[in-house]
Structures are given as C-alpha cells and as structure tokens.
Amino acid sequence: MRANCWMGRTSVEVRDVPDPTILNERDAIVKITSTAICGSDLHLYDGFIPTMEKGDVLGHEFMGEVVEVGSGVGDLRPGDRVVVPFPIACGACNACAAGLYSVCENSNPNAGMAEKLWGYAGAGIFGYSHLTGGFAGGQAQYARVPFADVGPIKIENDLPDEKVLFLSDIFPTGFMGAEMCDITGGEVIAVWGAGPVGLLAMASARLLGAERVIAIDRFDYRLQKAAAEVGAETIDYEKVDVEEVLKDLTAGRGPDACIDAVGMEAHTDLAPLQLYDRAKQAVRAETDRGPALRQAITSCRNGGTVSVIGVYGGLMDKFPVGSWMNRGITMRTGQCHVQRYTRPLLDRIERGEIDPSFVISHRLPLEEAPRGYEIFKQKQDECTKVVLSA
Amino acid sequence: MASRGTQALHVGLGAFSLALGAAPLVAPRAVARVAGLSTRPPVRGVLRAVGVRELAVGTGLLATRRPAWLWARVAQDVIDVPLASVTTVRKSGGERARMARVTAFLVAVTAADVAAAIRATRSATGAHSEERRRQMVFKAAVTIRLEEAEVRSRLPEADPPLSTEATVTFAPAPGGRGTEVRAVLDKGSGGPVGKAVGAVTGTDPGRQLSDAIRRFKQVLETGEVVRSEGSPEGTSAPRTRKQRSAEPVGAKS
Ligand SMILES: NC(=O)c1ccc[n+]([C@@H]2O[C@H](COP(=O)([O-])OP(=O)(O)OC[C@H]3O[C@@H](n4cnc5c(N)ncnc54)[C@H](O)[C@@H]3O)[C@@H](O)[C@H]2O)c1
Ligand SMILES: [Zn+2]
Ligand SMILES: [Zn+2]
C-alpha cells in the first residue's frame, strides 16, 4: 500500500510499504477513506519530538471502512464505517476505567522509554514517535487499529467524511480544552492559536455557554476565520501588547480562562525571548518554547483556569510559577481522552449544533501529503487544515 | 552516581555557553541591539569580553565532568545580572521594559546554573558502597485491575515467567483499584559482574523484570501482550533500544 512516511527532519515521502496485518486478537484493519494533517504532526516534521525512526508511517486522524477483524473483536464487522480516536486505549486498566484514555496503562509497549522522560508513560498513539509506542499511522491506504472494540466509533448514517473525521482528534481536543475551563455561562475565554485546534476550542467554548471568545494569533486569515465562524474578538499579537489588550477588553479582570492551543513551537516577536528559547532548544537544554503558555498564565484572571491543549514534549524555562501560584490559577491539560467524547460529540454533529468541517482549507490526495505538510507548516495559501483522501 | 541526567546537563549548559559566547564575538552590535543594550564602543567591548568568557566556560564544561565548571557558570551569571543594568541606555519606557525582560532572563539562567552545580557537586562527593549494594536488588511493580485471588491464580500465565527467580507478592490496591503486584529480584553477591555482563548482552535483570511484570499486566487486563509495529514482540527492553521503524509488519503488497 501507499503511506506517508517520516524520512527525517522536514522530510516526508509517500512510499510503498507492506499492507498491515492483524498482530493482536483485538485488532481491526481499516481501509482509510479520509485522513488529516495535524499541528501535532508538525512537531514531528520539525524534529522536536524525539524517538522518530526513518520510515515511520505518520498520521493519527483517520477514518474508513473495516475490512478485517481479529478474533477478539466482537462488535465490529467488515463493512462498518468507523472514525478512529488517536490515542490507543485498552478499556480495561484503571486509567481507562476512569475515562483517562490517553494515559492507558497497557497500550504503549515502549512505556519504559517514556517513563525515562516523563516519570510515567502515556498511552500508545498512532504515528506519533516510538515514545508513544511505535505504532504505524493513518496517513496511508490501510491501518491496523489495536483495541478495535474500544476506540473506533461506528458512523451509521450518511454524514460525509468531512463532518465526522475530526472526531478522531481535533474536535474532542478543542472540546476538552473548553470543558477544562469549567464554563457555566457568561465567561470570557481567551484562546492562544487560531489553528484548527484553537478554532474548535473556541467553537466548543461557545457551545458550552461562553459569552465572549477572544482569539490570539498573528495570521490574519486565521483570525478572520475565528471572527466569522465563531464570532470571536481578535488580537494580532505582533501588532499589540496582548496582556494590555486583554486587560482592557475585560475591564481590568483578565479572561476567566485561557486556552493554550499553540504548543511547543510557539513563536514570539520579542527577539531576546525567541533567541533564548531557540538557542536552548538547539542545544537540547530546553525542548519547548514557552511564549504562548507563559502569556496565557500571566494574562489569566485571579483564580482563573489555564487549559493547555497545545502539545509540549519535555522541559521549558522561565515558567511563570509566581504568577501561577500567587494568583491561585488552576492549570489543566492532557492529550485528549478522545474515546470519552466521540459519542456525545457525534450526537451534537447529528443534531446540527456544529459542523467541524469549517476548519478545512485544503483537500488533497494522499500522494500530495508532502506538499500538504509544507503549506500547512508555512501557513501558505491561507492553509488552516489539510484533509487527505486515500 | 554521576547520573546520566547530570552529564546531559553538563553537555547542554556547555553547548549553550558556546552558543552564547560565539554571538557577541561575531556580532556584538546585533547582540547589543537585540538585548536592548547601547551599541556604543565600550558596551561592545564588554560584550566581547562576555563572549570570550562564555566560550572558556563552555569549553570547560564540555571537556570535563568537574562541577567546578558549573560553578564558573554561576559566577559569570552573578556578574551578568548587574552588568546588564549598567550597560543599559537610560531612555524610553519601552527600552526600560525590554531591559527588565532581559534581566529577568538572566536571573532565570542563574537559577538553572546554581541547581546544576549543586547537583553535580553532590553526586561527585556522595557515598557509594551502600548505593552499589542497593543496585543489586531489582524491583518492579504494577497495579492490576482484578481481584487478588484471580491475579494470584493466573501468575503462571506470565510470559516470560515471573516467579522462577523473582519473589512476587500481592496486596489489595486502595480504593478498589484491584491488586498491587510487586516483584523483587536479589542478584546478591554475583551482582556487579552479572550486571556488567547483562549490560553488554542486553539482558539487564532490572529491565527484564519490569518488562515481565508489564507483560503480565497486559495479559491479565487485555488478554494479550500488546504489539506495535516498532515493538512487534511487545514490551521488551532490547527492542526499546533498537526499534523497528513503524511501518506495517506484513507481506509486501
Ligand atoms: N492535546 C491534544 O490531544 C492535542 C490534539 C491535537 C493537537 N494538539 C496540539 O494543538 C496545537 C495546535 O494544533 P493545530 O493543528 O491547531 O496547529 P497549527 O500550527 O495550525 O496552529 C497553531 C497556531 O498557533 C499560532 N501561534 C504560534 N505562536 C503563537 C503565540 N505566541 N501566540 C498565539 N498564537 C501563536 C500559530 O500562528 C498557529 O496559527 C499543537 O501543539 C498540537 O500538537 C493537541
Ligand atoms: Zn492531531
Ligand atoms: Zn487502558
């Protein structure tokens, strides 16, 4: 089959690889119809997540048709149309029982590797380095899906792929980002990053009852999308002092909650800070660039919440611990526990409350994945989200 | 133990010193501008000196593992913080704000350096014989979400076997979370030699023990040892070190 493979820093290639086969009784093989490129893939593409191997099949946002099931999969049969959550979860351990699927205790065969870096390991993730298991991903024609009786959600109506594909990752992720803000109605929510994840976090904040949503980014076309699709107020962080504007917009209170939908490759126009973070990243003295997270913390109102859905990998310097502690700010975070959200969010899509496909800007064939990565990374051609058809 | 972490820190901070050192030497004006410092000749001179000093300390850090070089970094930080204030041009509020940020940055670097130096000094002077003795006893533990009686009775299903060499004990986990399983392997007198051989052959008993107990948990909770394309045999320390690339395991189409 054809698959998009990681070939080194900023290099991906669509190649011939073997077709997947069943390795565990609870596996299913899925023939992929649609798959997407994620901001998380950019961290791999740019070489910021360690433990990638040349030839790794990328991709963790995919859906398609079941073509084969192992003997241990009871509730799926060939022909079923499914969306597959990006974290792999067994459904039987204490973490899964608590709904913490992205930290499943059994699905990462390389847990020992991750424990060295993080203390304890997270779940296995499709196409996301060997630290998270070394699983082949879904930017391909077929994928092997472990624990197929737990993760995949059946789509039993004729909703097009585009409307349900993002149940695999970014819609649940954005939703969890908003949910962690404990919105009860009337809140002001500021979101750093108006990429697909940030946009869906903004839309979710609205669904949950936020009164005002503020989008922060430097790409005008993305800010415009946030304004048009979600009714967000917008801040271009390259043009104004974000903290000051937020203070002003909230009459001195600060936003009730701040969502970081940027992650480890955050950018800043403050030259010394950017230089500092980049220099330390280059010599591996720091893995993560922190301007967005630092600002989300120092901007948040006293007693508010900072919800971190942007991905970080290792260590960050200049964490504003004093601002966080003295002002009683709550920080919540995590790789999304996708399995927890697929059913209720599919219901919302079916009821017409939201159509997450508004984030899509580009539709390309799988063969053009390398071009997709490049325009998404460079934010060229007003790129917001690339969907690949396999 | 001069731990791997401390060594990595040495190398990291050393390389950082080199990088920081090169910049003011090659482009003192640019650095001065970026840092919000005056671009007048005396300031540029100071910056060059700072660059030379960073290079010296960086080289020292990379060349040896001696904590003294880390303390040298601390010493230079202590000079940098007030130096930054002296070399600032007193001008607009904007520049002052920028300078405040640079100073905050330098203070942060100082803190990192102090921590590294203290850690290295401790591990260089620490007592060892106790430590070595402890290193011959290997332990691994998991919590399995099943009743104790079931976990006990299924111990023979462990693959590889757990109970031949290791002592396995069971206890109910608090909060109804199943059973705590602990395995202890005492390599006693044959320890250091055995461990050295193990390290070479890839059969470190500690890692084997933790692999075995993880696999046991997987079998009991999920029915099987979990396999990925990178680790097709399932959890295994040697495989962790040498991963297969994550492309499907199968017949070429
Ligand atoms: N937690 C999860 O489970 C999960 C799931 C999916 C994605 N993610 C993460 O979410 C993040 C965003 O993903 P995406 O697909 O939207 O990526 P993206 O690259 O399209 O979006 C990131 C946006 O952040 C903006 N940005 C950069 N620096 C900024 C700053 N200092 N302030 C404000 N905005 C800034 C960029 O301009 C860009 O528009 C990534 O880190 C990704 O890994 C997390
Ligand atoms: Zn994703
Ligand atoms: Zn689990």
Side-chain angles (χ1 to χ4, degrees), chain B residues 1-250:
Chain B
M1 271 201 303
S3 72
R4 300 260 297 267
T6 307
Q7 273 177 33
L9 215 57
H10 257 103
V11 174
L13 287 173
F16 185 46
S17 269
L18 289 189
L20 276 186
L25 283 184
V26 181
R29 280 185 93 92
V31 170
R33 215 172 301 114
V34 163
L37 304 176
S38 155
T39 47
R40 282 170 308 146
V43 173
R44 269 154 44 206
V46 171
L47 273 175
R48 277 216 186 79
V50 167
V52 170
R53 188 202 55 183
E54 284 279 353
L55 285 181
V57 175
T59 315
L61 274 169
L62 289 176
T64 81
R65 302 268 175 259
R66 300 241 331 270
W69 285 105
L70 284 169
W71 287 114
R73 262 195 68 99
V74 174
Q76 67 187 28
D77 293 338
V78 170
I79 300 167
D80 277 348
V81 177
L83 198 64
S85 333
V86 173
T87 45
T88 312
V89 202
R90 264 187 252 120
K91 247 200 204 153
S92 68
E95 269 183 42
R96 251 201 308 277
R98 185 165 282 251
M99 206 47 237
R101 290 193 187 103
V102 172
T103 308
F105 153 67
L106 291 171
V107 169
V109 173
T110 309
D113 290 339
V114 170
I118 288 174
R119 245 171 78 183
T121 306
R122 268 198 203 143
S123 62
T125 55
H128 283 325
S129 59
E130 261 302 295
E131 179 73 25
R132 251 187 234 121
R133 167 74 206 127
R134 250 184 287 128
Q135 278 174 24
M136 290 166 215
V137 180
F138 301 94
K139 294 181 183 172
V142 286
T143 301
I144 298 181
R145 195 165 157 265
L146 290 171
E147 294 295 328
E148 187 180 332
E150 178 171 0
V151 177
R152 267 180 196 280
S153 70
R154 293 178 64 184
L155 188 59
E157 290 177 41
D159 163 32
L162 252 179
S163 48
T164 36
E165 276 189 272
T167 309
V168 185
T169 57
F170 306 88
R177 278 172 288 186
T179 307
E180 296 178 348
V181 184
R182 294 184 171 78
V184 178
L185 186 61
D186 193 341
K187 282 281 171 185
S189 49
V193 177
K195 202 178 176 213
V197 172
V200 173
T201 56
T203 54
D204 175 346
R207 304 192 61 170
Q208 279 185 331
L209 188 69
S210 84
D211 285 353
I213 203 162
R214 270 184 225 280
R215 293 166 73 100
F216 179 55
K217 173 176 159 76
Q218 290 168 15
V219 168
L220 261 63
E221 288 184 337
T222 80
E224 281 181 285
V225 168
V226 180
R227 300 172 200 286
S228 72
E229 285 70 21
S231 288
E233 314 81 359
T235 300
S236 132
R239 176 53 91 183
T240 306
R241 281 193 291 271
K242 199 168 175 6
Q243 286 279 288
R244 191 182 166 277
S245 82
E247 70 166 39
V249 181

Side-chain angles (χ1 to χ4, degrees), chain A residues 277-286, chain B residues 8 11-17 19:
Chain A
D277 281 325
R278 295 202 73 138
K280 294 206 86 166
Q281 230 175 10
V283 300
R284 300 287 182 265
E286 166 183 68
Chain B
V11 174
L13 287 173
F16 185 46
S17 269

Side-chain angles (χ1 to χ4, degrees), chain A residues 37-43 60-61 86 128 169-170 173 176 191-198 216-219 222 237 260-268 291-292 295 308-312 334-338 376 379 383-385:
Chain A
I37 304 175
C38 178
S40 300
D41 292 323
L42 293 181
H43 305 322
H60 58 267
E61 302 183 359
F86 79 84
Y128 211 72
D169 177 351
I170 58 172
T173 297
M176 186 169 107
V191 181
W192 275 254
V197 171
I216 301 148
D217 206 307
R218 74 177 181 286
F219 291 102
R222 290 184 167 210
Y237 69 82
D260 170 355
V262 177
M264 64 198 292
E265 289 181 74
H267 153 276
T268 171
Q295 198 168 58
V308 184
I309 46 176
V311 163
Y312 292 91
Q335 291 282 359
C336 183
H337 306 296
V338 176
F376 181 47
K379 318 299 183 215
C383 182
T384 315
K385 183 80 176 174

Side-chain angles (χ1 to χ4, degrees), chain A residues 207-280:
Chain A
L207 283 179
L208 291 171
E211 192 160 313
R212 287 166 65 194
V213 172
I214 304 168
I216 301 148
D217 206 307
R218 74 177 181 286
F219 291 102
D220 193 48
Y221 73 94
R222 290 184 167 210
L223 290 173
Q224 278 178 28
K225 198 157 203 162
E229 301 284 348
V230 196
E233 297 157 71
T234 61
I235 300 179
D236 179 339
Y237 69 82
E238 280 195 323
K239 300 214 176 103
V240 295
D241 182 327
V242 174
E243 282 168 40
E244 232 162 72
V245 174
L246 285 173
K247 197 169 260 181
D248 192 42
L249 285 174
T250 56
R253 300 185 308 273
D256 298 297
C258 295
I259 300 178
D260 170 355
V262 177
M264 64 198 292
E265 289 181 74
H267 153 276
T268 171
D269 62 330
L270 206 62
L273 252 189
Q274 184 82 349
L275 232 131
Y276 171 70
D277 281 325
R278 295 202 73 138
K280 294 206 86 166

Side-chain angles (χ1 to χ4, degrees), chain A residues 112-128:
Chain A
M113 216 190 262
E115 282 171 1
K116 285 222 176 78
L117 189 58
W118 297 331
Y120 296 87
I125 297 180
F126 291 102
Y128 211 72

